[in-house]
Amino acid sequence: MSSDKTQEMPRALDAAIALGTSGPVCFECLGRLLAKRGRGLTNEERGRALRLLLALEGREEMAGTCWICGDVFRNLDRWVDEAAERVVGFEFDTYLFGARLSVRLAEMEAFVKEEFGVGSSESVKHAFNRALGMRFDQCFPTTTVAFKNPDVSFLVDLEAETMSMHVASIYLYGRYRKLERGIPQTKWPCRKCRGRGCEVCSGTGLQYTESVEGWIAAAFIDASGAEGARFHGAGREDIDALMLGSGRPFVLELVAPRRRSLDLEALSQETNRKAAGRVETTPLRVVERGMVEHVKETKARKRYRARVSFGQDVSELALKDALSFLQGAIAQRTPQRVAHRRSDKVRLRQLYEITGKRIDDRVAELELETEGGLYVKELISGDDGRSEPSLSGRLGVPARVTALDVIHVEGPGDDFGSMDLPQAQL
Ligand SMILES: [Zn+2]
Ligand SMILES: [Zn+2]
């Protein structure tokens, strides 16, 4: 192995000499041709050594702007200063620099690689990012570079000569319960003004003044100084349905937070205190970004409690027969009430279990366990034949849900501890 390197050496040096006499070339560009040679050396030191070698051979350095990189390595401080300025006020432990080469630089790089390249050369992009990182590190010695999920990242665009900074979101996982009807899961822009604010929404831009998202995000946005939040729920219940039991899994994403070390336990408690009687959450915990997809894609089994009212009297026997008939696969065409925002198609969903009892001749209380995505209201009403089979269809009697609660959603762990299961407001 070492003999290979030794054999390659004269060729690498030849290449360096050829490059060093090709025109004005900076130490960095000269040195990175032999990057990885000479442990512990920087490219600049390699370049200086090669330049000395060439001088001893009587080959003088040509003055001028480096024809390869256009002197981008002389501007390192400008970018590092800008990064250091941008990041003021943001708490971070890890960072990463990236660069977008200018068209000219990319072409020069390709040309040099073909003309002078040897196996060990380091690309200008890699060398540039690394050099920026090393200088930045001297300004922020307690932080470290991270190639995966850095807290802050800087992108230097060498074509536009601009820099952008991206602050990574914080992702927090929990489960929520909704104890009051009429609260949507996420913020809904006002239908009239689409969020701009008008007299209908009293200038708030919101269709509903409250939301689960609003209640849960507030304290966390405040404490983190985030620009805002995104709420990723494992599905959603209807606005008029309660969400009880072990709660519904969600990920709260804090966008561009200024503070990253948060007392999650205290903030969760504060949320529960302020939203008492409406919304509550398990103590949130930090998760990786991938959890968002996981939570959103979960086609979790759900358990519901539904109060149903009938258009005519229904006997206990007829109800029992209909319920046992319903168990199994249900074909549901997109319900009329959501047809304006969902594509119209037929979905097959499992009804794993359905039981219930009559409260009187025209009212029954049911409990059912379903595959995620099954529309319960339509399973009961039939939705004008779009849900098949349905309770109404089997009974031959109009039926509709008057109150619906989700009492369990399957999903990743966490619980409400010893908190009491609240009673549904039927
Ligand atoms: Zn150069
Ligand atoms: Zn409005």
Side-chain angles (χ1 to χ4, degrees):
M1 214 173 97
S2 61
S3 65
D4 283 356
K5 274 204 168 172
T6 323
Q7 275 166 20
E8 209 187 304
M9 214 45 199
R11 199 158 64 79
L13 273 177
D14 286 347
I17 290 164
L19 187 68
T21 54
S22 65
V25 174
C26 70
F27 294 140
E28 293 276 354
C29 285
L30 194 55
R32 65 189 173 83
L33 193 72
L34 295 187
K36 295 167 202 162
R37 302 287 176 91
R39 192 168 291 183
L41 293 178
T42 65
N43 286 339
E44 206 217 355
E45 286 163 346
R46 287 187 191 92
R48 281 183 190 280
L50 286 168
R51 190 51 80 189
L52 185 64
L53 200 66
L54 293 176
L56 292 174
E57 287 219 326
R59 299 171 199 257
E60 289 307 315
E61 181 178 358
M62 278 174 260
T65 305
C66 173
W67 69 266
I68 301 168
C69 72
D71 284 350
V72 290
F73 291 96
R74 290 211 180 126
N75 279 328
L76 291 172
D77 283 339
R78 174 199 155 177
W79 300 118
V80 172
D81 288 350
E82 188 173 338
E85 225 165 83
R86 288 266 191 113
V87 85
V88 168
F90 288 91
E91 182 191 334
F92 68 100
D93 291 324
T94 53
Y95 65 86
L96 187 65
F97 276 90
R100 185 173 294 143
L101 299 185
S102 64
V103 174
R104 185 200 160 276
L105 193 47
E107 281 171 5
M108 286 302 163
E109 180 73 1
F111 174 74
V112 169
K113 190 158 193 177
E114 199 173 310
E115 215 51 28
F116 305 92
V118 289
S120 56
S121 65
E122 182 181 20
S123 75
V124 66
K125 196 173 196 165
H126 194 266
F128 184 68
N129 291 340
R130 210 161 47 81
L132 287 173
M134 279 164 68
R135 287 188 186 220
F136 188 77
D137 196 63
Q138 288 165 3
C139 306
F140 299 91
T142 59
T143 64
T144 50
V145 66
F147 296 96
K148 201 178 159 241
N149 303 328
D151 292 341
V152 291
S153 47
F154 306 97
L155 181 68
V156 176
D157 186 330
L158 289 168
E159 182 74 54
E161 303 225 324
T162 56
M163 166 186 279
S164 56
M165 178 176 83
H166 178 257
V167 179
S169 295
I170 297 176
Y171 299 91
L172 302 171
Y173 173 81
R175 283 169 166 266
Y176 74 83
R177 288 202 289 220
K178 189 173 95 191
L179 311 175
E180 192 180 282
R181 297 186 198 285
I183 304 177
Q185 186 190 66
T186 51
K187 291 178 182 166
W188 281 34
C190 167
R191 285 194 193 96
K192 178 111 191 285
C193 66
R194 293 172 185 272
R196 266 175 276 118
C198 64
E199 71 277 16
V200 174
C201 59
S202 323
T204 60
L206 299 172
Q207 184 73 22
Y208 300 88
T209 50
E210 301 173 45
S211 63
V212 173
E213 171 183 13
W215 279 114
I216 293 178
F220 292 89
I221 291 178
D222 249 26
S224 65
E227 260 172 30
R230 294 191 191 106
F231 194 89
H232 310 280
R236 61 173 66 201
E237 65 284 340
D238 291 327
I239 292 180
D240 59 2
L242 300 181
M243 179 64 237
L244 303 173
S246 52
R248 185 186 294 277
F250 69 91
V251 173
L252 179 70
E253 177 182 355
L254 299 173
V255 179
R258 290 181 166 267
R259 289 172 291 280
R260 310 189 78 88
S261 45
L262 307 172
D263 186 343
L264 298 175
E265 181 85 37
L267 290 169
S268 305
Q269 280 173 10
E270 184 188 331
T271 297
N272 287 341
R273 208 166 42 241
K274 286 186 174 161
R278 297 177 170 98
V279 171
E280 63 185 327
T281 176
T282 57
L284 300 194
R285 60 183 167 90
V286 174
V287 290
E288 297 212 338
R289 179 190 187 162
M291 191 69 163
V292 171
E293 205 138 314
H294 182 71
V295 158
K296 292 192 87 160
E297 279 178 359
T298 304
K299 279 272 167 271
R301 266 188 192 226
K302 296 184 181 68
R303 216 172 159 81
Y304 296 93
R305 182 162 49 203
R307 181 161 284 218
V308 173
S309 91
F310 302 109
Q312 295 165 29
D313 291 359
V314 170
S315 72
E316 191 70 46
L317 194 69
L319 181 65
K320 284 271 170 304
D321 161 75
L323 294 182
S324 67
F325 176 79
L326 284 182
Q327 213 148 297
I330 311 289
Q332 295 191 308
R333 199 172 144 197
T334 305
Q336 298 172 55
R337 67 188 164 97
V338 300
H340 62 284
R341 58 187 166 90
R342 298 262 162 89
S343 62
D344 187 15
K345 59 181 178 189
V346 177
R347 299 172 183 81
L348 213 56
R349 295 282 185 261
Q350 288 297 318
L351 174 59
Y352 299 115
E353 195 193 336
I354 183 164
T355 58
K357 59 174 191 299
R358 289 185 336 149
I359 305 296
D360 61 40
D361 286 345
R362 295 205 173 188
V363 176
E365 195 175 301
L366 311 180
E367 230 182 90
L368 47 163
E369 189 157 332
T370 75
E371 184 181 354
L374 186 139
Y375 294 104
V376 175
K377 288 177 180 172
E378 285 68 21
L379 169 73
I380 302 305
S381 72
D383 199 23
D384 293 338
R386 291 158 77 102
S387 211
E388 188 57 44
S390 71
L391 183 61
S392 170
R394 180 63 178 180
L395 289 170
V397 167
R400 69 184 177 89
V401 172
T402 55
L404 183 66
D405 304 322
V406 184
I407 53 180
H408 182 69
V409 178
E410 261 189 3
D414 295 26
D415 57 49
F416 284 88
S418 57
M419 275 190 273
D420 293 325
L421 179 72
Q423 279 303 304
Q425 311 285 309
L426 284 172

